[in-house]
Amino acid sequence: MIKLENVTKVYKGEMVALREASVDIDKGEFVFLVGPSGSGKSTFLRLLNREERPEQGKIFVAGKDIAELPGYKVPYLRRNIGSIFQDFKLLPSKTVSENVAFALEAIGRPRSAIREAVPQILDLVGLGKKANNMPDELSGGEQQRVSIARAFVNRPLILLADEPTGNLDPATSVGIMKLLDRINRTGTTVVMATHDRGIVDTMRRRVIELDRGRIVRDQARGVYE
Amino acid sequence: MAVRLDYVLKETGSNLARNFTLTFAAILTVAVSLALVAASFLIGQGINNSFLGLRSDVQLFIYMNPGATADQIQSVKKELDRSAQVKEVDFYDQERSFEEFKRLFKEQPDLVATITPADLPQSFRIKPTSSDADVVSALGDSLKSKEGVLRVEYAAEYARQVQRSVRTLNTWVLIVGAVLIGASVLLIFNTIRTAVFARRREIEVMRLVGASNWFIRLPFVVEGLVHGLLGALLAALGAWGFDALWKRNFVNQVAFELLNQIRWDSGQLWQAIAIIFAVGALTGAVGSGIAVSRFLRI
């Protein structure tokens, strides 16, 4: 599903964010990216949805080398990749269901399909009753569920999560991880950057550790350290 | 993938409302600049329509008697052809004079209806080899006494000067109009940039979920286009008002002996309005197009 071959990413010509990284991730895998701040975790994720382009190497997503993808095709790549973040990136002026619907409107889905899909996905993330609330009326965990609903409503092949529990307390984080685990069980490949030792050690999934842009460990059913 | 029209209209509408002051400034600047361009166009057309013969270097007119015989005309023509001072000579028979008369007075059909070709004198229009006043008047004098010649007229240096001044003034109006169009492009560019900034969260999410470039850009481009077209609408009203004012204050006033020669017909007014809308749309599209391509990169 995802394959990196000798990928190097350098920012502003000096700061090396990723150095000769080679990774192979199969369809349906759940992968943790760990490592200190600045070790290249976010860059790793940003390379996968073409927010960034590598200086060297090849990145295959679903069989295509996305480093060579022409700009006008990038939106179609991103329709197969859901993204969630530490800061949720919800639109404060839209209700919960409007936030989710926005993702479908933006890719031109017909209104009837949107009306059907949005309540379904909100039920799946456990927010069926809060469809008409505004984001600032929700707790952090609930807001992250909305952003997961938005990322997953289009049933992407891959879900990228950049420290999704970074702003949440441990109890809430467990709920979010259960949700991501459920999504992973539907066959969606999940790549998650995290600092949360507890989560990594409990879930016992594949762990890729980065240090100053190098992959220093790649371990099936791994732990944080 | 088609971009839904109602979506574009809704987004454009809310952008226009959100940035009301900037939008207003942009539209007004577009309107003023286009109105100047239109006024300049109309005056330019008017100058071309006016001052019979002055637009070329014809400096001498020889009008023949209405009853002049073919022999008399032939003899004047021979004399002109022989003269070393004549560079070019053009003969207007009655039909041709009538055509010209109809063109010059086409806004006054009543007048045209009372005239037939037979009422008009035939004439020679002469371009001398030298524009020196002495040479020209010597040439005129030598022909004045020929059989069948009604009178000789010289293009008045005075009329020529008025024409030149109006033309210079008109060039400056056009230059100011063009500079203001440049300012309009910058204002629209800035307005769109502000709109992009105000919607940066939405744009970030749209990019993340894979909205196509045009889906993100179109509402902004349409917004710039609306600026241009609304400005053009105001300018068209202005041009229409300018047309009415000019006709009332100059064309129909006997007192302005030369300015009242500068006139244009309704077809040229429509041309001016078409130019207003074309330039307005272009101004809006260029301003927003630059903003969008600079601030909405993938």
Side-chain angles (χ1 to χ4, degrees):
Chain A
M1 179 59 55
I2 298 169
K3 188 174 186 182
L4 275 68
E5 286 179 5
N6 283 316
V7 172
T8 298
K9 172 70 193 173
V10 183
Y11 286 114
K12 299 253 166 5
E14 44 192 273
M15 209 203 102
V16 181
L18 210 56
R19 198 188 298 264
E20 291 165 13
S22 294
V23 178
D24 215 328
I25 298 172
D26 286 334
K27 181 170 170 20
E29 268 196 277
F30 196 119
V31 179
F32 286 116
L33 293 177
V34 301
S37 298
S39 59
K41 304 188 296 294
S42 291
T43 300
F44 191 107
L45 295 177
R46 291 167 64 81
L47 284 166
L48 294 183
N49 67 357
R50 252 296 285 274
E51 287 280 334
E52 305 286 352
R53 289 175 96 145
E55 264 63 46
Q56 270 175 44
K58 291 184 168 166
I59 302 171
F60 294 94
V61 172
K64 274 191 210 126
D65 184 359
I66 64 165
E68 299 301 323
L69 203 63
Y72 70 93
K73 283 188 178 164
V74 170
Y76 302 95
L77 165 74
R78 291 188 184 149
R79 287 175 198 188
N80 289 316
I81 301 176
S83 298
I84 61 175
F85 302 89
Q86 185 170 0
D87 59 356
F88 321 133
K89 297 195 195 294
L90 299 179
L91 303 176
S93 59
K94 292 185 189 292
T95 66
V96 166
S97 69
E98 284 168 352
N99 260 288
V100 178
F102 185 71
L104 294 173
E105 284 165 10
I107 59 173
R109 283 298 174 80
R111 213 168 308 191
S112 56
I114 296 175
R115 263 200 297 270
E116 199 174 321
V118 172
Q120 242 176 46
I121 194 82
L122 286 178
D123 279 342
L124 180 83
V125 300
L127 284 176
K129 295 208 172 76
K130 305 233 166 170
N132 295 318
N133 284 71
M134 302 303 283
D136 60 8
E137 297 166 346
L138 305 180
S139 70
E142 286 169 331
Q143 291 188 44
Q144 190 59 289
R145 284 169 189 271
V146 178
S147 100
I148 292 172
R150 181 179 64 192
F152 193 59
V153 67
N154 196 29
R155 310 287 154 157
L157 301 169
I158 298 167
L159 189 69
L160 304 178
D162 196 352
E163 308 207 20
T165 59
N167 274 344
L168 306 176
D169 60 61
T172 313
S173 299
V174 169
I176 294 297
M177 289 318 297
K178 278 188 177 151
L179 183 56
L180 291 181
D181 188 44
R182 257 179 82 191
I183 286 173
N184 175 239
R185 284 174 202 281
T186 66
T188 306
T189 309
V190 179
V191 183
M192 170 170 160
T194 187
H195 280 129
D196 196 322
R197 175 189 303 261
I199 286 172
V200 178
D201 290 351
T202 327
M203 300 251 313
R204 298 303 298 262
R205 299 300 186 98
R206 180 172 171 188
V207 173
I208 295 174
E209 186 179 344
L210 290 162
D211 186 20
R212 278 164 289 174
R214 282 188 193 282
I215 295 177
V216 293
R217 176 164 63 110
D218 186 348
Q219 182 180 20
R221 300 184 59 76
V223 291
Y224 192 79
E225 266 175 339
Chain B
M1 181 205 64
V3 176
R4 284 212 310 255
L5 185 65
D6 59 341
Y7 164 80
V8 172
L9 293 181
K10 196 182 77 191
E11 293 299 304
T12 304
S14 76
N15 280 353
L16 288 173
R18 193 190 320 238
N19 282 317
F20 179 74
T21 48
L22 266 176
T23 301
F24 191 66
I27 289 173
L28 271 190
T29 314
V30 173
V32 171
S33 52
L34 291 177
L36 287 177
V37 169
S40 166
F41 172 78
L42 287 177
I43 292 175
Q45 292 293 316
I47 290 172
N48 285 343
N49 295 343
S50 69
F51 303 125
L52 174 63
L54 281 195
R55 73 194 90 110
S56 56
D57 9 327
V58 172
Q59 292 189 11
L60 195 57
F61 298 78
I62 296 170
Y63 289 99
M64 304 301 291
N65 273 319
T69 65
D71 277 354
Q72 289 169 339
I73 291 168
Q74 207 48 44
S75 130
V76 171
K77 179 155 175 35
K78 253 185 216 142
E79 172 102 25
L80 287 170
D81 285 344
R82 260 204 314 272
S83 167
Q85 276 87 46
V86 175
K87 188 172 166 206
E88 253 183 81
V89 60
D90 208 0
F91 180 64
Y92 277 58
D93 63 13
Q94 287 174 319
E95 271 309 321
R96 196 170 167 194
S97 303
F98 186 60
E99 287 305 313
E100 186 187 41
F101 182 83
K102 278 198 295 191
R103 186 163 56 76
L104 288 172
F105 294 95
K106 71 175 151 189
E107 296 284 277
Q108 287 148 276
D110 294 346
L111 180 60
V112 172
T114 62
I115 301 288
T116 66
D119 297 326
L120 297 169
Q122 308 184 80
S123 60
F124 290 96
R125 315 276 165 96
I126 295 145
K127 291 181 194 171
T129 44
S130 156
S131 59
D132 183 49
D134 292 338
V135 176
V136 176
S137 66
L139 182 63
D141 286 343
S142 73
L143 292 160
K144 208 184 287 183
S145 51
K146 293 280 291 183
E147 289 283 317
V149 171
L150 178 64
R151 65 193 145 89
V152 173
E153 277 186 8
Y154 305 96
E157 198 49 36
Y158 170 58
R160 211 173 266 283
Q161 269 167 12
V162 171
Q163 187 193 29
R164 206 176 299 135
S165 311
V166 174
R167 198 166 284 218
T168 307
L169 180 72
N170 200 36
T171 307
W172 281 104
V173 171
L174 186 65
I175 290 171
V176 173
V179 169
L180 278 179
I181 285 180
S184 307
V185 170
L186 290 180
L187 260 174
I188 290 174
F189 168 82
N190 251 313
T191 312
I192 302 300
R193 180 168 69 176
T194 309
V196 169
F197 185 73
R199 293 173 52 75
R200 62 195 180 284
R201 285 162 169 277
E202 279 95 334
I203 292 167
E204 187 186 10
V205 172
M206 284 194 273
R207 282 162 37 86
L208 271 177
V209 300
S212 69
N213 253 340
W214 274 109
F215 186 89
I216 299 174
R217 290 177 173 192
L218 202 58
F220 296 105
V221 174
V222 171
E223 186 184 344
L225 213 56
V226 168
H227 288 157
L229 290 176
L230 284 180
L233 188 68
L234 288 180
L237 290 175
W240 181 75
F242 173 73
D243 173 69
L245 274 178
W246 185 274
K247 280 188 178 136
R248 196 170 71 211
N249 292 325
F250 294 123
V251 175
N252 298 332
Q253 297 293 319
V254 192
F256 293 101
E257 209 180 312
L258 287 160
L259 279 183
N260 66 11
Q261 296 285 313
I262 300 179
R263 57 181 71 199
W264 49 84
D265 56 47
S266 55
Q268 283 161 337
L269 177 62
W270 283 114
Q271 264 180 44
I273 289 174
I275 290 174
I276 285 175
F277 276 98
V279 176
L282 196 67
T283 306
V286 169
S288 55
I290 298 173
V292 156
S293 62
R294 272 194 61 183
F295 302 113
L296 288 180
R297 290 250 173 89
I298 261 239

